[in-house]
Amino acid sequence: MIAEEQKKDIRRLSREQVTEYFLSIGEKAFRAKQVYEWLWKKAVKDFDEMTNISIQTRKQLKKDFVINQIAVDQMQRSSDGTIKNAIKLYDDKVVESVLIPAKKRITACVSSQVGCSLDCNFCATARLKRMRNLNPDEIYDQVVAIKDQSELYFDRPLTNIVFMGMGEPLLNYNNVLAAIDKITNPKGLGMSPKRITLSTVGIPKMIKKLADDEVKFNLAVSLHSGIDEVRSRVMPINDKSPLEDLADSLRYWYEKTQRKVTYEYVVWRGINDTEKDARALVKFCKVIPSKVNIIEYNPIDDGEFQQASVEAVAMYKVMLEQNDIVVNVRHSRGKDIDAACGQLANKN
Ligand code: SAH
């Protein structure tokens, strides 16, 4: 018998590997199909829930594998309905996932890494160092947990998923794509990729890879400035990947996918709130077809960054619209429980 802590998480195995395993213990290949469905589509947490598998086989499975689980360690509800979950992983690390209810949709905001290696100066998660990447099942399970909450508390299905929680999804590329594959697969949650948005600081090489891999989900880029000096000041990654490289990768993306990109943009007082800044954004928006989400700034502490005036945001909106660029001004959700963009940092 394999020691408990050395057992492999069965969900690290591909479908083929599960099949091989069953053949190796003298079982029929279709058992693999059944078990795989229990593991992903039904997302059971215990082999004993696999009721169409014989007790003998379940025993064998328990001998050889574990099913690592995430656990909702703490759940906070905002006055606006937003739910923030502190999710404990098998190794006691914690990430956060958020359920955001709106009139027409319920969105799950999920994490892709424990902590983050990027140093965006305005983001609370950046204060944590990157501890590790999440595994595909850990990303998938966050979606399942939020889906369950959506049904339980709102009596409505989960409609959208955004990779805007902790971490940089393109620095955990394979696991994020493997999770999305399970989320969209009819053998998993069967959700449409059109309802999934991956948000990135904009890593040109990886954006090109997404295009090459012909992904079907939406791409959002955290832009925050169309001027290199300003962008580098708020997002040091811009020193490594300046706007021209980003633009180049986006042209490649559009050529291959014919799909628009969304820019996320915060307007800060005294940093990017002038007409010159807005003009630079307009110019960048012309690189490929795009739209802009202006997001409200969620203060994280010392006051270096402050939300710009209502007038400055209005100026941006007018200028974008005059240039036929679709713009949404978004108000934050879940601020009272630190669940809003950039506030995820395991305060508890
Ligand atoms: N690493 C990815 C996803 C996580 S951040 C990315 O950068 O896109 C999700 C979004 O929240 C990003 O657009 C980010 O710029 C924004 N954000 C971070 N901190 C924020 C804050 N304090 N207020 C408002 N938005 C913030």
Side-chain angles (χ1 to χ4, degrees):
M1 185 154 153
I2 307 169
E4 206 61 30
E5 60 277 12
Q6 285 170 8
K7 284 187 201 169
K8 196 166 182 162
D9 182 350
I10 189 166
R11 289 194 301 171
R12 282 309 131 69
L13 266 54
S14 68
R15 176 90 189 259
E16 293 69 41
Q17 288 169 321
V18 177
T19 308
E20 271 165 34
Y21 167 79
F22 276 101
L23 295 175
S24 78
I25 61 167
E27 280 272 6
K28 297 265 172 3
F30 76 92
R31 290 281 171 234
K33 183 169 172 273
Q34 291 175 321
V35 166
Y36 210 70
E37 198 169 298
W38 283 113
L39 289 173
W40 294 100
K41 194 174 185 122
K42 297 180 189 143
V44 298
K45 295 180 161 57
D46 196 312
F47 291 110
D48 280 330
E49 291 176 65
M50 303 181 173
T51 46
N52 59 0
I53 305 296
S54 74
I55 294 180
Q56 194 54 39
T57 306
R58 279 187 245 158
K59 256 197 194 145
Q60 183 72 44
L61 282 165
K62 278 188 267 185
K63 255 193 210 163
D64 296 335
F65 298 105
V66 289
I67 307 175
N68 281 334
Q69 299 174 37
I70 64 164
V72 176
D73 200 34
Q74 206 190 38
M75 188 185 125
Q76 287 171 278
R77 289 192 79 170
S78 158
S79 52
D80 68 19
T82 300
I83 298 177
K84 178 167 87 168
N85 298 292
I87 303 270
K88 196 177 251 178
L89 308 172
Y90 73 90
D91 57 357
D92 283 344
K93 298 218 165 23
V94 177
V95 291
E96 293 176 334
S97 337
V98 184
L99 177 159
I100 309 153
K103 255 199 209 115
K104 291 203 189 127
R105 44 168 88 174
I106 293 196
T107 303
C109 173
V110 298
S111 296
S112 55
Q113 298 181 312
V114 186
C116 189
S117 61
L118 301 167
D119 301 308
C120 302
N121 292 321
F122 50 85
C123 180
T125 309
R127 310 270 151 103
L128 308 168
K129 67 175 199 313
R130 189 204 77 107
M131 285 164 261
R132 71 170 172 87
N133 284 336
L134 295 191
N135 294 315
D137 50 280
E138 293 171 321
I139 298 169
Y140 184 86
D141 285 353
Q142 291 176 67
V143 176
V144 172
I146 303 257
K147 179 178 171 288
D148 291 347
Q149 289 179 336
S150 175
E151 285 155 12
L152 181 65
Y153 296 107
F154 298 92
D155 203 15
R156 283 157 58 193
L158 178 68
T159 59
N160 294 71
I161 302 169
V162 294
F163 282 81
M164 295 189 191
M166 302 167 105
E168 169 49 47
L170 294 189
L171 293 179
N172 184 16
Y173 190 94
N174 291 340
N175 291 352
V176 166
L177 262 66
I180 292 177
D181 181 56
K182 294 284 190 306
I183 293 165
T184 52
N185 199 307
K187 294 195 177 83
L189 296 179
M191 285 184 73
S192 165
K194 289 191 192 116
R195 298 189 165 276
I196 301 175
T197 301
L198 182 151
S199 176
T200 173
V201 291
I203 300 164
K205 200 171 91 190
M206 302 316 282
I207 291 176
K208 287 185 176 170
K209 186 159 165 51
L210 285 175
D212 285 336
D213 288 341
E214 293 176 24
V215 299
K216 298 286 182 279
F217 49 80
N218 304 301
L219 178 64
V221 173
S222 301
L223 193 62
H224 305 311
S225 178
I227 301 171
D228 272 317
E229 303 81 77
V230 179
R231 192 165 191 264
S232 289
R233 178 172 162 201
V234 295
M235 302 175 74
I237 182 79
N238 193 71
D239 287 334
K240 249 192 249 159
S241 311
L243 288 163
E244 196 36 54
D245 293 358
L246 178 59
D248 189 47
S249 69
L250 291 168
R251 281 185 209 103
Y252 189 85
W253 160 268
Y254 190 71
E255 225 167 80
K256 290 241 163 174
T257 68
Q258 297 296 305
R259 294 215 319 279
K260 272 191 183 185
V261 63
T262 302
Y263 298 122
E264 287 152 274
Y265 202 98
V266 178
V267 189
W268 290 286
R269 188 184 299 270
I271 292 180
N272 59 352
D273 59 352
T274 68
E275 284 193 21
K276 183 180 166 210
D277 294 289
R279 269 197 302 277
L281 172 59
V282 167
K283 184 165 171 238
F284 198 85
C285 284
K286 292 186 173 162
V287 170
I288 64 163
S290 59
K291 64 174 187 178
V292 176
N293 280 340
I294 295 190
I295 42 188
E296 193 183 341
Y297 177 57
N298 303 304
I300 54 168
D301 55 9
D302 50 19
E304 183 193 346
F305 291 92
Q306 284 164 25
Q307 170 65 32
S309 66
V310 176
E311 291 75 22
V313 173
M315 178 272 294
Y316 261 94
K317 190 165 188 280
V318 169
M319 207 180 291
L320 289 160
E321 283 173 349
Q322 277 171 352
N323 284 277
D324 297 322
I325 298 154
V326 174
V327 51
N328 289 302
V329 178
R330 291 267 160 91
H331 295 284
S332 283
R333 307 288 307 272
K335 260 207 233 184
D336 54 340
I337 53 168
D338 284 333
C341 288
Q343 291 187 313
L344 303 183
N346 303 334
K347 263 200 191 160
N348 309 306

